Amino acid sequence: MLEVTGLAWIVTIGLIVLLLALDLILASVRPHRVGFREAAAWSVFYIAVAIAFGIVFWMIAGAEFGTEYFAGYIVEKSLSVDNLFVFVIIMTTFAVPEKHQHKVLTFGIVLALIMRAIFIALGATLLNLFSFMFLVFGLLLLFTAVQLFRHRDEDPDVEDNAVVKGARRLFPVSDEYDGGKLVTRLGGKRMVTPLFIVLVAIGGIDLLFALDSIPAVFGVTEEPYIVFVANAFALLGLRALFFLVKGLLDRLVYLSVGLSLILAFIGVKLILHWLHVDISNSVPEISTPVSLGVIVVVLTVVTVASLIKTRGDTSARAHAGSLRASRKAPSEQDR
């Protein structure tokens, strides 16, 4: 078991808060359109920070926990790319002005970190108290994988999101943006702007992704500290990554298939672990190095296959995938 001192937790959380503050300052002080060069520089920076942390952590905690960190980071990074698909859909659906998009993304990242910290604490407690939760998490991931594969050629309907619908019923919404304001006045009446609804939509999506990603990373490691830092470092670079790859996301046509395979694999891993612990120790378990290898291979294959597919078929377009059927099926042109 990994022993993490209170000081180590404080230093780690302090580093993450510092990086978040940097993102918040950049997003609020100087609203602007983020260009490719700026996005590339920040993406490289956040990936370098995550790798540097992993190397230091490997040297301090040992190879086993170091491997678990990198496996967890890759899982969360791959799931965060699917996050980006949905963020693109939200930005497009609500026509968010480009100069305010990085503010929305930073809000989404902060909210995602808070939600995942809560779910990490809850998940770790449940796993410590009830070993059958490994079975529950495994079955949840298998269900998610099947649903994601079934609806791999669809996009989630943001307007049909229950949280967004509820916000529209509770608050009068203006038709136009008012700079970066969340609340405005029209004809003497106080109303929320579309930017407020965008933040509500981002929050609802963050909640759904937290429900999927936490069981997935617990399938790689049972250590709450590793789960937390893997999530944090994967999410911190999301804002820059959005502006870097949003034009390339359409080419990742097999990403949903790859993610469904990864989630199914981790689900099976959790179920085997439960069988090994609670039923019989003769049941084999899947080691972390094997898990890391499978995840890397799947992501490499789906990325290469996607690029080959879109090079040969320029009409092919990627979809975020959905956990339930959309109200409106995708057109033949989108398939």
Side-chain angles (χ1 to χ4, degrees):
M1 182 176 178
L2 179 64
E3 295 291 338
V4 182
T5 65
L7 178 62
W9 273 104
I10 292 171
V11 171
T12 303
I13 293 173
L15 173 63
I16 292 165
V17 169
L18 180 65
L19 292 170
L20 270 176
L22 183 63
D23 245 8
L24 282 170
I25 291 170
L26 290 172
S28 59
V29 172
R30 193 170 65 93
H32 65 287
R33 182 184 181 277
V34 179
F36 179 85
R37 181 176 296 181
E38 180 183 350
W42 281 108
S43 294
V44 170
F45 169 75
Y46 281 116
I47 291 172
V49 169
I51 292 174
F53 177 88
I55 292 172
V56 172
F57 181 68
W58 185 303
M59 294 170 62
I60 294 173
E64 179 182 353
F65 293 125
T67 304
E68 289 182 4
Y69 164 76
F70 281 110
Y73 175 74
I74 292 172
V75 167
E76 292 303 318
K77 201 68 176 176
S78 61
L79 289 172
S80 72
V81 174
D82 207 37
N83 249 47
L84 291 182
F85 269 111
V86 183
F87 286 170
V88 169
I89 293 168
I90 292 173
M91 301 292 189
T92 304
T93 300
F94 294 101
V96 179
E98 285 192 332
K99 67 178 182 178
H100 297 307
Q101 288 183 3
H102 60 332
K103 181 185 295 184
V104 171
L105 288 166
T106 303
F107 169 84
I109 292 168
V110 172
L111 192 59
L113 278 170
I114 293 171
M115 287 184 176
R116 294 187 188 200
I118 294 170
F119 279 108
I120 288 167
L122 180 61
T125 301
L126 289 173
L127 289 174
N128 285 329
L129 293 176
F130 311 106
S131 60
F132 71 85
M133 288 303 300
F134 286 104
L135 174 63
V136 174
F137 280 4
L139 292 174
L140 175 62
L141 289 179
L142 286 177
F143 172 78
T144 302
V146 170
Q147 291 296 97
L148 183 59
F149 183 81
R150 287 181 60 200
H151 305 299
R152 63 192 179 278
D153 293 328
E154 301 175 25
D155 291 321
D157 190 341
V158 176
E159 289 281 11
D160 192 38
N161 183 282
V163 178
V164 174
K165 288 169 126 182
R168 286 193 180 279
R169 283 195 296 267
L170 287 172
F171 305 102
V173 185
S174 65
D175 294 328
E176 302 291 335
Y177 287 90
D178 185 5
K181 295 180 180 178
L182 300 181
V183 180
T184 188
R185 279 189 177 275
L186 288 176
K189 184 179 180 181
R190 186 180 290 271
M191 307 178 75
V192 300
T193 67
L195 189 60
F196 177 84
I197 301 299
V198 170
L199 297 185
V200 169
I202 291 284
I205 293 301
D206 280 340
L207 176 61
L208 292 176
F209 274 103
L211 289 171
D212 292 334
S213 69
I214 298 306
V217 74
F218 267 118
V220 175
T221 177
E222 299 175 35
E223 301 295 337
Y225 179 81
I226 298 177
V227 174
F228 176 74
V229 292
N231 269 275
F233 284 115
L235 287 172
L236 279 174
L238 202 58
R239 184 181 70 88
L241 191 62
F242 172 86
F243 294 104
L244 180 65
V245 305
K246 67 177 180 178
L248 303 175
L249 286 175
D250 280 351
R251 299 190 65 186
L252 299 176
V253 292
Y254 297 125
L255 178 64
S256 291
V257 175
L259 291 179
S260 65
L261 290 174
I262 290 172
L263 291 176
F265 170 78
I266 297 175
V268 171
K269 182 178 187 293
L270 284 170
I271 293 171
L272 287 176
H273 177 73
W274 172 75
L275 290 171
H276 179 86
V277 172
D278 280 14
I279 306 301
S280 172
N281 57 16
S282 63
V283 176
E285 289 194 276
I286 301 173
S287 67
T288 301
V290 170
S291 300
L292 179 59
V294 169
I295 293 164
V296 170
V297 168
V298 169
L299 289 176
T300 302
V301 170
V302 299
T303 301
V304 173
S306 294
L307 296 178
I308 292 173
K309 170 69 175 177
T310 52
R311 179 179 293 181
D313 181 5
T314 55
S315 65
R317 185 174 72 85
H319 296 273
S322 178
L323 298 186
R324 62 189 180 94
S326 301
R327 290 182 302 177
K328 182 173 70 173
S331 65
E332 290 299 321
Q333 184 179 358
D334 289 339
R335 289 182 182 274

